[in-house]
Amino acid sequence: MEFDGQPFLGWQRQPQGATVQGALEHACATILKETIAVHAAGRTDAGVHGLGMVAHIDVTRVITPFALMEAINAGLIDVPVAVIACETVAADFHARFSCLARHYEYRIVNRRAPLTLGAGREWRIKKALDADAMHAAAQMLVGHHDFTTFRSVHCQSADPVKTLNRLDVRRMGDRIVIEASARSFLHHQMRSMVGCLSLVGLGRWSAGDLRDALEAKDRTKLGLNAPPDGLYFVRADYL
């Protein structure tokens, strides 16, 4: 599914406020006439977007995947969420626990002019960024590390040690795209890495400063947590 994260408090249902999970569960329950729990490959923060989020539901009613997709999308007509593919999976499939890798993308617009179409969907940085320096520094974060510095104080993960398989930075005109892949991410890890890389691009941090922040294993050493606007959950990989 894809979704615009701007009107939502994030993926996970909340007692109050709109969430992506809540919108989907309401649509599914209305169609299927039963209580439905939607399980996703990952949880996104308020304002974070989805291009290829994967989720699953367990249902007792007999319905074809196409009919289910069409019905859910009809139920989501008033919110910016859309199911773009639907299929039947094995009974032991789980969108979260069966996932082998998750891929994120962060979009920066590097220009002085304000955002129009990209407002709320990209992060504008007015001063020139050195994308090559950002990419070179990013490679220090690739691999198996303790990412305590880059995790939210509210992160619920039991272990701050994660393996980051990829962190690439590339410029396309006045846009800079940062792509990351890992089996799993800590809460705010992607936004925190992007924030610090932006400091490198601005010349405020060196690659050594980024390495020192990582090795400090201390959230107070974080340079900057990027806003959610430019972050996208791109896809999830399964067998």
Side-chain angles (χ1 to χ4, degrees):
M1 71 197 67
E2 65 180 24
F3 55 86
D4 179 348
Q6 292 184 84
F8 298 109
L9 296 179
W11 167 268
Q12 191 172 10
R13 75 175 76 89
Q14 306 284 343
Q16 295 180 332
T19 66
V20 182
Q21 183 183 31
L24 282 162
E25 289 180 342
H26 180 265
C28 290
T30 301
I31 298 157
L32 300 168
K33 308 302 181 186
E34 58 182 294
T35 301
I36 296 293
V38 178
H39 304 275
R43 298 174 181 175
T44 53
D45 291 333
V48 175
H49 316 291
L51 296 176
M53 177 63 77
V54 175
H56 84 266
I57 60 175
D58 297 308
V59 302
T60 58
R61 176 180 168 180
V62 177
I63 185 170
T64 67
F66 179 78
L68 179 61
M69 179 178 69
E70 291 286 282
I72 292 174
N73 284 335
L76 295 169
I77 193 67
D78 294 324
V79 294
V81 181
V83 178
I84 55 179
C86 184
E87 63 184 78
T88 303
V89 292
D92 62 352
F93 174 87
H94 195 286
R96 178 184 174 190
F97 300 119
S98 301
C99 186
L100 300 178
R102 294 162 175 86
H103 306 271
Y104 283 89
E105 176 179 295
Y106 197 99
R107 300 175 181 179
I108 297 173
V109 176
N110 193 201
R111 72 183 193 196
R112 295 197 61 82
L115 297 178
T116 53
L117 298 178
R121 298 183 180 89
E122 297 170 305
W123 181 24
R124 178 177 64 118
I125 297 179
K126 292 191 287 186
K127 293 185 177 180
L129 293 169
D130 185 338
D132 291 336
M134 293 169 68
H135 177 75
Q139 305 321 299
M140 294 184 178
L141 301 179
V142 175
H144 193 65
H145 303 291
D146 183 326
F147 284 98
T148 295
T149 300
F150 301 91
R151 74 186 297 200
S152 166
V153 294
H154 303 296
C155 182
Q156 298 178 357
S157 177
D159 190 354
V161 177
K162 298 291 180 182
T163 300
L164 184 63
N165 297 325
R166 177 191 182 204
L167 187 60
D168 293 334
V169 182
R170 56 192 172 92
R171 176 179 284 278
M172 298 184 297
D174 62 2
R175 282 172 168 76
I176 291 176
V177 177
I178 303 172
E179 299 167 309
S181 301
R183 187 178 184 95
S184 62
F185 289 82
L186 299 167
H187 187 202
H188 280 189
Q189 182 181 343
M190 184 65 178
R191 287 172 56 190
S192 295
M193 293 189 302
V194 169
C196 290
L197 288 174
S198 74
L199 297 179
V200 174
L202 291 167
R204 297 176 186 172
W205 270 26
S206 66
D209 292 326
L210 183 66
R211 181 191 61 244
D212 291 344
L214 174 66
E215 294 177 351
K217 304 173 188 176
D218 181 352
R219 181 66 175 176
T220 66
K221 303 302 181 183
L222 181 74
L224 179 66
N225 197 40
D229 305 34
L231 183 57
Y232 293 77
F233 185 102
V234 176
R235 76 175 194 273
D237 292 345
Y238 300 88
L239 287 176

